[in-house]
Amino acid sequence: MPLNPIDLHSVIVRHWGINQLRPLQEPAMKAVLMGRDSLVVLPTGGGKSLCYQAPAVLRNSTTVVISPLISLMKDQVDSLLSCGIKALQLNSSQTNVERNSCIKEIKEGRVRLLFVSPERLVQTDLYQLLQEINVDTFAVDEAHCVSHWGHDFRPEYRQLSKLKELFPQASVHAYTATATDHVRRDIIEQLGLRNPEILIGNFDRPNLTYLIIPCRESTKQIMEVIARHRNEGGIIYCLRRADVDSLASELTKFGIKAMPYHAGLSPKHRTETQDAFTTEQCDVVVATVAFGMGIDRSNVRYVVHAGLPKSLEHYQQETGRAGRDGLEAECVLLYSGADFFTWKSIIEKSSIDPGVDPSFVPNSINQLKHMNNYCRAAACRHTLLVRHFGQLSEINSCVACDICLGYTVSVPDANIVAQKILSCIARVKDQYGVGYIVAVLRGENTQSVRSRGHSSLSTYGLLKEHSAADIRDWIYQLISQEVLLQEEIETEPGRTIPILRLNSASWEVMRNQRDIRLLQPVHSKKGEQPSKSKTDTESWQGVDRDLFEEFRALRKQLATERNVPPYIVFADATLRELARNRPSSLGKMRQIYGVGDSKLRDFGQKFLDLLIIHCKARNLTMDM
Ligand code: ADP
């Protein structure tokens, strides 16, 4: 079907209340309308769903969407229904009556988008049904699940290789946010895409502020982030299940609506957490990396990593869950060099498992090093991240990361600081761990320092004007720059401790033959709030915050009545625009982003009534 941009535009405005397409959405839709296979790689929140949804409505026929999780399908179906588009899902949890009713509607040709799981798709009955109604367009959501090389491989997705055999005339469209070249090639091959249109978007997410901050007192630091986002949604990732449980209960004691999520909890407990977060009954989920896929909540305003992620791919994926609605969101990573060693030892231990591929350990350690170096680098985090994914763009001062916002600065005289640390290690003869070296450098008058005679060393107290946390952090930076080693030594059978050792590069630093760069956080004055990113400042400009909160409460009530998540009623961006513009009539409200015909009919009057009462009580002008 040839693309008529006017028809497409009017469908999008009518149903979604969206006036402008995002980058690559138009060519992606064009590929669907022309029946040409496609692979669309856009970052999370880039608007991939619209690429197949809008053409499905325009073509007036059924498009089949393959999706990995029932919860994802449910969200998408609810969201489409709220936009006045007939959508449904077929899954194994349905009763016979429900299934028969769905099949009837499908046969009548009334369904625009049909969501199915990959294993369901290749079953004979469904295959025959889809043949009967001449389905000729398939959209594969989260297409990286088909690839072994991705981090979310799902064996069921392998069955999709039969798709082209079963429906040789149909076009297949794959959508993913996973950026590696290897995965992309694998998707094309596994799905058997023929001469596909390949569309790869810009991976930068300018609305995310990346802050890499040395981990000092993690609970206190996490509480500070939560305090900046009172009543807003956030995810806190921890490395271990035990950390998840203890942090979640600690936060709850402070009156924060936090819930835990990890693979050790029962499926019922996990579903409760996920549902409570999606429906905004709970603000904070404390989780291991098991939490993520299937979370479609678009207004997650922060993601905290309480521990180091094991790769930049994981980091990008996990931080990507923040700010899917395009509004500002904060991604805070509490960095500790010690996490690098924890991961390294976990990875090395896993090599003992006979089933492990021999390339696993070196590959994983390499990925871990990339992650660690990213944290230790002194360059714009946005630029480094997109470069890692093969995009060479230079972002001129993003004003949305700790480096560009000036939270982290280079240490003046870093070479001298490094020389002091390294020569202290040389003086104590490579036999002690980080804590002890810090004590000597700070000139601590402890029994253990005195008894070894180290209080008379020339390096005793050399860095006494600095905090223990700063010195500890610099030591880990030296290790990550490979001018210092941390090694495990056995003190007695079965008991090892980590000690610091010099290498040849350490001597180059001490002889002034090698330059060192060290970072330190800028210590903010008590009570001082960190500066805000450009997106943060702009997206709140002119917004009546009290009205926004009143809208949120109304949205939650309407969502509960309908048993859907609040963001399906209206996105935060729509509420902010309503609270900024204060439209005085339904006609004017229709011009607001995210207000299509169906939502205007269902919710418009209620929001308008609230708005009028609010403005009258405060004598506020409308139609700003
Ligand atoms: P992805 O699947 O790429 O992560 P989604 O399809 O879930 O992203 O879209 C994220 C959000 O962006 C949704 O709320 C969607 O309605 C919105 N959106 C999509 N396209 C546009 C657009 N052109 N303009 C504004 N908002 C859009």
Side-chain angles (χ1 to χ4, degrees):
M1 181 174 174
L3 171 79
N4 181 340
I6 297 170
D7 293 344
L8 193 60
H9 184 250
S10 71
V11 158
I12 295 169
V13 174
R14 190 163 70 241
H15 287 284
W16 283 273
I18 287 177
N19 283 307
Q20 227 181 358
L21 289 183
R22 289 199 179 136
L24 299 185
Q25 283 183 321
E26 187 168 323
M29 290 180 193
K30 195 169 164 186
V32 177
L33 291 167
M34 305 290 281
R36 176 172 174 194
D37 289 351
S38 62
L39 168 65
V40 179
V41 188
L42 285 176
T44 311
K48 291 182 279 298
S49 322
L50 198 64
C51 299
Y52 55 84
Q53 292 174 343
V57 177
L58 185 61
R59 296 167 81 236
N60 221 12
S61 62
T62 309
T63 289
V64 174
V65 185
I66 295 119
S67 179
L69 294 176
I70 293 178
S71 59
L72 270 182
M73 295 186 209
K74 182 180 179 304
D75 269 3
Q76 291 231 32
V77 169
D78 285 343
S79 166
L80 284 161
L81 293 175
S82 76
C83 294
I85 297 161
K86 184 73 198 165
L88 51 81
Q89 60 167 322
L90 278 177
N91 70 55
S92 49
S93 67
Q94 286 167 317
T95 62
N96 277 344
V97 177
E98 284 169 341
R99 191 163 41 242
N100 289 340
S101 140
C102 287
I103 291 174
K104 184 165 170 284
E105 290 195 88
I106 295 167
K107 283 190 175 167
E108 286 168 359
R110 291 199 282 125
V111 178
R112 294 289 72 89
L113 289 131
L114 171 64
F115 291 80
V116 296
S117 62
E119 58 276 24
R120 185 73 187 85
L121 181 69
V122 293
Q123 285 167 9
T124 320
D125 61 327
L126 183 59
Y127 161 66
Q128 283 167 348
L129 174 65
L130 299 182
Q131 291 275 1
E132 207 177 303
I133 60 160
N134 288 324
V135 168
D136 62 3
T137 310
F138 290 88
V140 183
D141 203 8
E142 310 285 354
H144 58 278
C145 292
V146 82
S147 171
H148 263 306
W149 302 101
H151 36 74
D152 282 324
F153 172 61
R154 298 192 152 234
E156 316 85 82
Y157 259 65
R158 285 279 158 155
Q159 313 205 26
L160 293 179
S161 58
K162 293 196 203 133
L163 199 54
K164 279 283 183 185
E165 279 168 42
L166 297 173
F167 299 92
Q169 308 305 329
S171 66
V172 176
H173 307 274
Y175 301 88
T176 180
T178 301
T180 67
D181 199 35
H182 212 146
V183 175
R184 284 176 209 155
R185 276 185 274 126
D186 211 18
I187 294 173
I188 295 175
E189 198 181 311
Q190 294 294 330
L191 296 178
L193 302 186
R194 287 191 290 260
N195 182 27
E197 171 88 88
I198 300 176
L199 299 164
I200 296 167
N202 184 337
F203 270 81
D204 186 38
R205 302 271 315 271
N207 61 320
L208 302 189
T209 300
Y210 298 113
L211 303 177
I212 316 270
I213 296 169
C215 182
R216 298 281 152 91
E217 296 163 86
S218 65
T219 307
K220 186 168 166 266
Q221 289 173 301
I222 291 167
M223 294 285 293
E224 283 168 7
V225 179
I226 296 175
R228 290 203 284 275
H229 298 277
R230 223 161 43 88
N231 299 329
E232 294 181 332
I235 306 174
I236 299 164
Y237 283 110
C238 301
L239 296 190
R240 296 172 205 85
R241 292 175 189 181
D243 299 342
V244 168
D245 293 331
S246 64
L247 181 60
S249 67
E250 204 166 344
L251 294 181
T252 311
K253 276 190 220 136
F254 286 115
I256 294 159
K257 290 194 233 160
M259 289 174 80
Y261 189 106
H262 57 69
L265 298 173
S266 68
K268 183 169 166 281
H269 196 158
R270 290 204 303 261
T271 310
E272 270 169 21
T273 299
Q274 180 155 336
D275 289 350
F277 187 62
T278 309
T279 55
E280 299 188 8
Q281 308 297 327
C282 141
D283 293 329
V284 185
V285 173
V286 185
T288 59
V289 291
F291 182 72
M293 211 212 260
I295 306 303
D296 244 2
R297 181 167 170 175
S298 61
N299 58 354
V300 175
R301 295 270 75 88
Y302 60 96
V303 168
V304 176
H305 280 91
L308 185 73
K310 52 180 172 177
S311 71
L312 276 167
E313 283 71 14
H314 281 89
Y315 179 65
Q316 194 226 19
Q317 187 88 8
E318 286 146 21
T319 51
R321 294 184 180 123
R324 292 176 68 131
D325 52 11
L327 298 177
E328 80 291 344
E330 206 179 331
C331 305
V332 178
L333 192 160
L334 299 179
Y335 177 79
S336 154
D339 288 346
F340 175 80
F341 295 97
T342 307
W343 272 124
K344 194 160 166 269
S345 117
I346 294 173
I347 295 167
E348 281 163 356
K349 280 186 189 132
S350 70
S351 69
I352 303 164
D353 186 340
V356 169
D357 184 326
S359 63
F360 172 80
V361 172
N363 282 346
S364 305
I365 289 187
N366 205 17
Q367 288 180 339
L368 183 62
K369 278 189 179 162
H370 282 307
M371 184 68 233
N372 198 49
N373 291 343
Y374 173 79
C375 295
R376 294 283 33 115
C380 167
R381 312 285 180 196
H382 281 263
T383 305
L384 291 179
L385 206 54
V386 293
R387 285 225 181 120
H388 176 80
F389 291 109
Q391 292 184 333
L392 297 176
S393 53
E394 179 82 42
I395 296 152
N396 282 331
S397 185
C398 68
V399 203
C401 76
D402 56 301
I403 303 284
C404 297
L405 285 165
Y407 295 180
T408 307
V409 292
S410 296
V411 174
D413 300 329
N415 284 347
I416 294 172
V417 171
Q419 284 164 357
K420 288 179 177 174
I421 294 172
L422 297 174
S423 52
C424 183
I425 297 165
R427 297 257 182 248
V428 299
K429 309 227 170 358
D430 287 4
Q431 285 174 41
Y432 298 96
V434 179
Y436 187 77
I437 299 298
V438 171
V440 176
L441 281 164
R442 278 176 47 79
E444 288 178 13
N445 187 14
T446 62
Q447 170 65 20
S448 70
V449 174
R450 279 195 311 270
S451 65
R452 294 180 176 111
H454 289 158
S455 48
S456 55
L457 290 179
S458 58
T459 52
Y460 179 72
L462 262 188
L463 291 176
K464 61 176 176 296
E465 69 280 23
H466 297 283
S467 71
D470 275 344
I471 303 172
R472 174 177 287 275
D473 195 47
W474 293 331
I475 291 177
Y476 281 112
Q477 292 184 42
L478 294 177
I479 298 171
S480 71
Q481 290 173 45
E482 299 182 351
V483 296
L484 179 62
L485 300 173
Q486 181 165 257
E487 283 175 2
E488 297 280 333
I489 56 155
E490 200 163 33
T491 49
E492 53 192 84
R495 185 167 177 269
T496 59
I497 55 159
I499 58 148
L500 296 173
R501 282 234 156 107
L502 302 180
N503 60 10
S504 55
S506 320
W507 293 102
E508 289 174 23
V509 176
M510 285 190 274
R511 284 191 218 108
N512 263 334
Q513 291 163 341
R514 187 191 261 253
D515 280 333
I516 287 295
R517 185 163 201 187
L518 296 173
L519 300 177
Q520 69 180 6
V522 172
H523 299 290
S524 58
K525 293 185 201 90
K526 206 166 180 315
E528 193 179 67
Q529 286 291 321
S531 15
K532 293 193 175 304
S533 72
K534 197 161 146 256
T535 318
D536 196 345
T537 313
E538 282 176 6
S539 66
W540 280 111
Q541 220 151 45
V543 175
D544 177 335
R545 293 232 185 186
D546 293 340
L547 183 56
F548 174 76
E549 287 304 326
E550 288 179 34
F551 282 153
R552 270 187 74 187
L554 173 61
R555 172 176 74 172
K556 197 160 169 183
Q557 178 203 326
L558 294 171
T560 311
E561 286 165 14
R562 284 159 181 77
N563 195 23
V564 293
Y567 58 86
I568 284 186
V569 173
F570 281 132
D572 278 20
T574 303
L575 296 193
R576 286 197 200 172
E577 213 175 305
L578 283 171
R580 180 186 295 117
N581 292 15
R582 304 198 286 262
S584 62
S585 67
L586 287 177
K588 293 201 165 115
M589 191 180 273
R590 179 68 182 73
Q591 310 301 315
I592 298 286
Y593 163 77
V595 185
D597 287 350
S598 177
K599 290 194 182 181
L600 186 74
R601 196 175 51 240
D602 292 345
F603 311 120
Q605 194 60 51
K606 292 201 168 68
F607 279 85
L608 188 60
D609 291 346
L610 192 157
L611 208 161
I612 291 171
I613 294 170
H614 178 94
C615 292
K616 277 208 175 128
R618 290 162 185 78
N619 212 6
L620 295 176
T621 318
M622 298 179 85
D623 299 320
M624 298 299 289

